[in-house]
Amino acid sequence: MRKTVYCRVFGYNADLTTQTNPAVTKSNVCETIGKCQSWSDVMVIRKKNVSIEEERHVRANDRGYNERFSYADNHIKTAKYNFYTFLPINLFEQFQRFANAYFLVLLILQLIPEISSLSWFTTIVPLALVLTITAVKDATDDYFRHKSDQQVNSRQSQVLSKGKMQNEKWKNVRVGDIVKLENNQFVAADLLLLSSSEPYGLCYIETAELDGETNLKVRQALTVTAELGADIVKLAEFNGEVVCEPPNNKLDRFTGTLYWKDNKYPLDNERMLLRGCVLRNTEWCFGMVIFAGLQTKLMQNCGRTKFKRTSIDKLMNTLVLWIFGFLICMGIILAIGNTIWEQKVGRHFWAYLQWNDLLSSAVFSGFLTFWSYVIILNTVVPISLYVSVEVLRLGHSYFINWDRKMYYSRRDTPAEARTTTLNEELGQVEFIFSDKTGTLTQNIMIFSKCSINGKTYGDVYDDFGHKVDITEKTPCVDFSFNPLMDRRFRFHDSSLVEAIKLEEPLVQDFFRLLALCHTVMPEERSEGELIYQAQSPDEGALVTAARNFGFVFRARTPETITLYEMGQPTTYQLLAILDFNNVRKRMSVIVRDPLGKLKLYSKGADTILFDRLDPSNEELMDTTSEHLNEFAGEGLRTLALAYKDLDEDMFDEWMKKILFASTVLENREERLGALYEEIEQGLMLLGATAIEDKLQEGVPDTISCLSLANIKIWVLTGDKLETAMNIGYSCNMLRDDMNEVFIISGYTTLEVQQELKNAKERIVGPSREKFSGGQDTEKPDMYASDSVFEETIIAEYALVINGHSLAHALEADLEHILLDVACLCKTVICCRVTPLQKAQVVDLVKRHKRAVTLAIGDGANDVSMIKTAHIGVGISGQEGMQAVLSSDYSFAQFRYLQRLLLVHGRWSYHRMCNFLCYFFYKNFAFTLVHFWFGFLCGFSAQTVYDQWFITLFNIVYTSLPVLAVGLFDQDVNEQYSMRYPSLYKPGQLNLLFNKRKFFACALQGVCTSFVLFFVPYGAFSCAVRDDGTHISDQQSFAVTIATSLVIVVSVQIGLDTNFWTAVNHFFIWGSLAIYFAILFAMNSDGIFRIFPSQFPFVGTARNTLNEKTVWLVILLTTVVCTMPVVAIRFLRTELQPTQTDKVRLLQQASRRQGPQEQNLRQVRRTSSRRSAYAFAHQQGYGELITSGKNMKVHVTSTSTFSASSPRRTHTSSGSMENVLGPEGDAHSVVAAAETPKPGVTGHTRLGGGNVPSLDAPNTD
């Protein structure tokens, strides 16, 4: 028996299979805790019960009854912390860093006087600083999450309470409440639609926040509840009980039953208004809350807020463990040395030291020495490293925020780094997962060009007849002759307006067809202020174009369509609508004009309409086909238009056949299809339209550039397959010269498996498929070798997979072959996917590919994948701010992603890697001097440097120069970073900082420490001062080594600097000056008088650095440490230059010539792919229009036809009366027909036909 365990406070589900109906077990609770958003959720669970909900019972207007089940309220929470949990949870997260835990242990050790040779404040101050900085950053991020939650929770909603409507905050809405929505309002919770202002309980919603689609969708209330209307008394008395499924994340499914007045009424998804939807074109509606807050389907699809860490962070955790192991080894070696020395030499001094018996033990002395050296050598990983890393990340974030080239002035939107922990990972991205609508596109359809009677319109030519590019400065056509024009419409070819004014018959018929052949619903709020509610942006663009060219669609009734043709009202009798469906790929209307002539107007895919043209159109068809090729080559969405004059007698006979075919029960679809074919023959071609699905500016160039950087871009969209593919062609992700485009559309696991295997075999060949086929279920390590094979695939392939197929492909036994095929393809497009599937695809790549993933989107339906990916980017676009609020980075345009990755990301990665390499080098060089000194001081844990130098070395003497490199260094400038995308590849391959690089830096540091110690040691063994005395005291030796160290690391940072600024010079020379100033100050008479016990060595620095021998030793040490590095780098650059070396040389050579702009060649797609609009178009509102169910009762003053014309009908697969049943209830179809079509309901089959529902991704 399948049950769902969920936390009733937070609403996160976990499937749990049980054989009976057990009580909640410990494992159930653990699984539920694992699904919670944060540790704060876990703490609350201890105080709350966890229950198993098999089905939900909700009673209207009865909070007392509903509260017995402890359903979640409408309060949402995306923040990680609250006031009480912030400190413990944040500290717990921070101490997950091994380094922080390591320094905490060191701090404890330093508090033990017997083993501590350094003061405890040298560790606790920087540790507290690191923890505080990180905590403040995390608290700031979470504050903005709380602020966003508060804003959403405080939205106002009208709730029926105590017999009247009252304003309530969203967070106070409860399950079972009756809520009133008004036009353009967001839905506050998942509601059961009860009634609306529209006839028959219909309402229109926009689901952009759920699936990214902005076309309107229809929902219909049950007939019995629709009768409640807006009567507050009746609504207050409504006490129906809904029994339904428990909370889940299925956006396209809902199963339930309404029990009311001793009757049962089935409920499905078409009765539901989901949270995140917007009510459109509907004055008001009432709904009953079924799911609230985190149990709504929108929130169920939002992933958990995760603590993201970069790959460098993870590597540093590993390196800290290794360094700690190295530190333990050095401590053991020195402890053993101390034990041996104490036994052979030191025991002679025990009597003079007056140690007790315990301390007189050589073994115990070695034990104490071990811990002393652990403390002394801890600076090999200084706490200042983590302070510096946080400062660098903060600086890199500000650079992104301050970048004016990522500022979008039209909406006053700058780029924003909403986190500071992921900047360097922006330079390592290999996979980008992008939404389509609002991310790649503006979701704006523009009537761009057309072909009428063999002549094209839309291009602009200069005085010499040459075509010129259309820009924002190109003058627009003057439509002032039309008082009903849409002022936002832009067209640049004035010859089309001239043709209209000259009343050319075919041009007028062209726009008359566009004004008549559609299912758009008009809304006139005031005289001349027309608003078109279209089922798709394409239809709206076509009708708007006809409106501006003088053929204004003004009004419609079930029987008529009223146009204003060049200012004159004209009413056409609507006799039939032959609507779009997935098979026909065309739409036709049959009308009678005011002169009584019968006309059939048709629009659709050219491949469909051309087969139905009259033979006399052959020459015009060839010309129009050439125009269509030209339009398609520019990535435009094309549609062919045709008409036909109908004979009265023939039409009457055809109508009789249609009426008969509409009533038969067997083969109804086939009979109707044959009759459509019959009347749509012998058409006369008018021309073609070309609509631009307007991409965001720079999208094709951005995608092309990112592809050159070896970044794979996958498109994950809720749109239909053809729509997604058309955008793929527009973006140049899909091209006609690709070897093959694989479309996976199977409905069963076996079908999907076979399609994927066939695709893989076509790509890699049968031999390799047979060899690797058995590896599909192996562990992911095998992909290391497969990734090499991917590079050898020269041919280009694309994979397009539907949502219902993806559901099967993501199963455990198929996910490997899906990933295999997808990674072998240059382009991957997943369409009709749910928000959860988007996250699953991202997670699939994260789990099986050692690659950094980035997800980018603009709507609430993208939040889940944004949270799942390593890096989430939100576009502040048309679909609200949900994606931005959940993202790590945000900006206004997709094209800024190129600069974010190739400039800021690459620089951040380069700077961080250089910083880490240098930091580990200088600290190994600094610390290991103590190790060499241990062999010469009886392993006594005596330090070479004085305590103040140890404290200040990383904080003062060397911190600023390395910060300058980490903040400002550039291997190449931003222009060359954009011009040569291949420079991005080292980050993907993790070449600049890895375990090998770390060992190289550590080895260089070890060698430097060896030179720093033994060169002065050897020189001082025989050197004398000017007065003949030996330079052999420890303090002079320490000053010499310390000075050599500071100079050597300063020279090294100079060698590591590629881009010198005034800041670099100031920090390097300033650090040296500060070192000498502090050195002389600490050895001065003045400070000795103030702190005699702390600074006893008066004059040591002055006496030592006055000696020429000392400076010669310092010079020799510096040369020996740095010259091998200079030689190796010179030889490597000359003999094996990297791509970066080559580009840097080009950059240096071009500086004399001044800056050069990159001239990117605009690539235009040449494609034979046309009519994407007709292929992607979905079922229209035909049945609703012709039935009149969606129209209020009114009379059009210009109508000249009887409203009861017997000739008018809708000729789809079934009449609206049959579908809605005698009472207008879609579910009455079961009673009206003995063989209902499975899964089809009247209010979704807007134009009839056995086609999938238009308003939700199919994930079956």
Side-chain angles (χ1 to χ4, degrees), residues 636-937:
L636 303 178
R637 297 158 68 91
T638 61
L639 206 62
L641 310 182
Y643 74 99
K644 179 182 180 181
D645 292 316
L646 298 179
D647 177 72
E648 192 80 33
D649 294 334
M650 185 273 290
F651 176 70
D652 288 340
E653 186 65 28
W654 182 80
M655 281 300 303
K656 293 177 183 177
K657 297 178 183 177
I658 283 289
L659 291 174
F660 174 76
S662 299
T663 58
V664 299
L665 297 179
E666 295 183 2
N667 301 322
R668 180 186 300 177
E669 302 290 342
E670 292 77 5
R671 294 189 184 210
L672 288 173
L675 290 172
Y676 296 164
E677 289 284 343
E678 179 183 323
I679 202 166
E680 290 174 331
Q681 296 295 326
L683 302 176
M684 302 299 293
L685 183 62
L686 275 175
T689 61
I691 292 177
E692 180 183 0
D693 185 1
K694 197 166 182 63
L695 295 173
Q696 288 193 15
E697 183 182 345
V699 166
D701 290 338
T702 300
I703 289 176
S704 177
C705 188
L706 293 176
S707 297
L708 292 175
N710 197 36
I711 298 175
K712 298 179 176 64
I713 302 177
W714 294 16
V715 176
L716 312 178
T717 176
D719 272 346
K720 298 170 290 298
L721 182 142
E722 290 290 344
T723 306
M725 289 184 67
N726 186 70
I727 293 299
Y729 279 102
S730 299
C731 297
N732 293 322
M733 295 178 66
L734 297 177
R735 300 190 311 276
D736 281 343
D737 59 356
M738 281 184 159
N739 294 67
E740 193 165 352
V741 177
F742 302 106
I743 299 178
I744 310 299
S745 57
Y747 284 88
T748 67
T749 302
L750 290 177
E751 289 177 0
V752 173
Q753 183 180 29
Q754 190 59 46
E755 290 176 357
L756 288 172
K757 285 188 174 181
N758 291 342
K760 186 174 181 181
E761 186 173 343
R762 294 290 295 274
I763 297 174
V764 304
S767 58
R768 179 170 176 84
E769 169 65 22
K770 182 177 180 181
F771 174 75
S772 63
Q775 297 181 355
D776 288 341
T777 57
E778 292 293 327
K779 55 187 179 181
D781 293 343
M782 67 163 187
Y783 287 99
S785 60
D786 279 355
S787 62
V788 178
F789 178 74
E790 289 167 20
E791 301 296 329
T792 67
I793 300 293
I794 300 175
E796 292 187 352
Y797 299 92
L799 176 69
V800 181
I801 183 167
N802 222 321
H804 55 77
S805 303
L806 185 62
H808 297 295
L810 289 172
E811 294 175 0
D813 53 344
L814 287 187
E815 62 179 14
H816 290 299
I817 188 172
L818 169 65
L819 191 61
D820 272 347
V821 175
C823 290
L824 292 173
C825 293
K826 185 176 181 64
T827 296
V828 178
I829 297 177
C830 302
C831 52
R832 278 317 214 178
V833 294
T834 64
L836 185 62
Q837 284 179 324
K838 290 183 178 184
Q840 289 172 336
V841 171
V842 176
D843 185 61
L844 175 66
V845 175
K846 280 182 65 177
R847 283 187 289 114
H848 297 293
K849 288 285 182 183
R850 295 178 181 176
V852 177
T853 59
L854 181 147
I856 180 170
D858 71 321
N861 58 317
D862 304 314
V863 168
S864 189
M865 74 169 178
I866 284 174
K867 289 183 176 180
T868 303
H870 291 98
I871 303 169
V873 177
I875 300 286
S876 51
Q878 305 291 332
E879 298 182 24
M881 297 293 289
Q882 287 283 351
V884 170
L885 294 173
S886 302
S887 65
D888 305 306
Y889 301 89
S890 67
F891 41 71
Q893 294 281 288
F894 180 83
R895 69 178 185 271
Y896 298 150
L897 183 63
Q898 178 181 352
R899 185 170 178 83
L900 181 70
L901 298 185
L902 300 189
V903 178
H904 291 286
R906 204 183 68 79
W907 278 353
S908 294
Y909 175 71
H910 164 79
R911 291 163 176 168
M912 186 61 71
C913 292
N914 278 8
F915 166 82
L916 292 174
C917 288
Y918 173 79
F919 217 100
F920 282 118
Y921 153 75
K922 77 179 179 68
N923 281 286
F924 269 82
F926 164 60
T927 304
L928 264 66
V929 170
H930 295 300
F931 179 78
W932 309 121
F933 184 56
F935 290 91
L936 301 174
C937 69

Side-chain angles (χ1 to χ4, degrees), residues 580-623:
F580 269 109
N581 67 28
N582 293 346
V583 178
R584 285 170 43 75
K585 298 180 177 63
R586 64 190 183 278
M587 175 189 180
S588 300
V589 295
I590 301 176
V591 298
R592 189 188 301 275
D593 66 18
L595 299 178
K597 294 182 180 179
L598 289 174
K599 291 269 191 178
L600 181 145
Y601 292 108
S602 185
K603 66 181 181 183
D606 59 285
T607 53
I608 301 296
L609 283 191
F610 283 2
D611 292 338
R612 290 157 178 80
L613 294 179
D614 188 85
S616 62
N617 288 263
E618 186 172 351
E619 183 177 347
L620 177 58
M621 183 178 69
D622 292 339
T623 304

Side-chain angles (χ1 to χ4, degrees), residues 879-1017:
E879 298 182 24
M881 297 293 289
Q882 287 283 351
V884 170
L885 294 173
S886 302
S887 65
D888 305 306
Y889 301 89
S890 67
F891 41 71
Q893 294 281 288
F894 180 83
R895 69 178 185 271
Y896 298 150
L897 183 63
Q898 178 181 352
R899 185 170 178 83
L900 181 70
L901 298 185
L902 300 189
V903 178
H904 291 286
R906 204 183 68 79
W907 278 353
S908 294
Y909 175 71
H910 164 79
R911 291 163 176 168
M912 186 61 71
C913 292
N914 278 8
F915 166 82
L916 292 174
C917 288
Y918 173 79
F919 217 100
F920 282 118
Y921 153 75
K922 77 179 179 68
N923 281 286
F924 269 82
F926 164 60
T927 304
L928 264 66
V929 170
H930 295 300
F931 179 78
W932 309 121
F933 184 56
F935 290 91
L936 301 174
C937 69
F939 305 97
S940 59
Q942 174 66 42
T943 58
V944 177
Y945 321 108
D946 69 81
Q947 182 169 294
W948 288 104
F949 181 82
I950 295 174
T951 303
L952 297 176
F953 176 75
N954 282 302
I955 298 176
V956 177
Y957 300 151
T958 61
S959 61
L960 293 181
V962 70
L963 281 179
V965 169
L967 287 173
F968 305 113
D969 197 40
Q970 302 174 13
D971 52 350
V972 297
N973 61 29
E974 61 182 273
Q975 290 82 9
Y976 280 84
S977 295
M978 300 278 278
R979 188 176 301 178
Y980 297 96
S982 58
L983 293 174
Y984 191 80
K985 294 179 182 178
Q988 296 171 327
L989 300 175
N990 207 23
L991 296 180
L992 299 187
F993 186 73
N994 48 41
K995 294 172 184 175
R996 183 177 178 181
K997 278 281 186 181
F998 167 75
F999 283 122
C1001 297
L1003 181 61
Q1004 182 186 358
V1006 171
C1007 295
T1008 300
S1009 69
F1010 186 86
V1011 173
L1012 283 171
F1013 181 80
F1014 284 104
V1015 168
Y1017 178 77

Side-chain angles (χ1 to χ4, degrees), residues 195-210:
S195 62
S196 77
S197 59
E198 301 304 300
Y200 301 94
L202 293 172
C203 75
Y204 303 91
I205 58 171
E206 181 183 287
T207 60
E209 289 278 3
L210 294 176

